[in-house]
Amino acid sequence: MSVMQRYYSAVDDGRLDEAVGMLAEDVEFAMILPTGENRNSGRANMHAYLSGRPPVDRRHVPERCAVDRDIEFTQGRVTEGDDDVTTGYFVGVMHIADDGLIDRYQVTFSPDFAVHPDREDS
């Protein structure tokens, strides 16, 4: 399992301290969301963002993953609830530093644009 997949698994399971522990202390991140861009840095700011989200039974479902040296890419969908209702699609990119920690992270999320256009649930 890639670093990125382990990160999303920890976030989805509510293990936020574990997820944030995978980040470099000075991680830089940009989340491009329908509500705007959240660009910031630092573990504490990422933890504040993650813990400040409303409680939802959310899952990141990776559909395509790739690793090229120190960069990891994931494309997938986000589901909610017991019905696994797809609420949108994401593309994430992480840079993994030499120490194995994530030091840069960028993700985009769209409620209705799937990179893979033939999604049956879209």
Side-chain angles (χ1 to χ4, degrees):
M1 184 182 293
S2 72
V3 172
M4 194 170 210
Q5 288 171 303
R6 288 195 327 265
Y7 173 82
Y8 283 133
S9 178
V11 168
D12 292 345
D13 290 344
R15 296 177 282 123
L16 300 185
D17 290 339
E18 181 181 331
V20 173
M22 298 173 72
L23 306 175
E25 188 66 42
D26 60 348
V27 63
E28 295 181 70
F29 57 90
M31 292 175 248
I32 295 82
L33 308 169
T35 56
E37 181 176 317
N38 175 19
R39 186 182 297 215
N40 213 325
S41 63
R43 277 185 186 161
N45 286 323
M46 179 62 90
H47 195 283
Y49 168 76
L50 292 171
S51 59
R53 298 184 307 172
V56 175
D57 184 15
R58 176 185 302 113
R59 293 270 207 234
H60 293 81
V61 181
E63 295 184 333
R64 304 286 195 281
C65 301
V67 176
D68 184 2
R69 294 170 293 204
D70 55 353
I71 300 283
E72 294 189 8
F73 307 86
T74 299
Q75 177 278 324
R77 58 193 170 96
V78 176
T79 63
E80 288 184 8
D82 293 335
D83 299 337
D84 288 332
V85 174
T86 298
T87 59
Y89 304 90
F90 73 96
V91 176
V93 181
M94 291 180 169
H95 179 261
I96 312 302
D98 289 340
D99 61 5
L101 297 175
I102 301 159
D103 64 356
R104 292 183 67 79
Y105 171 45
Q106 179 179 354
V107 67
T108 61
F109 174 83
S110 173
D112 58 9
F113 183 82
V115 171
H116 191 273
D118 298 328
R119 291 281 323 159
E120 289 187 23
D121 61 8
S122 58

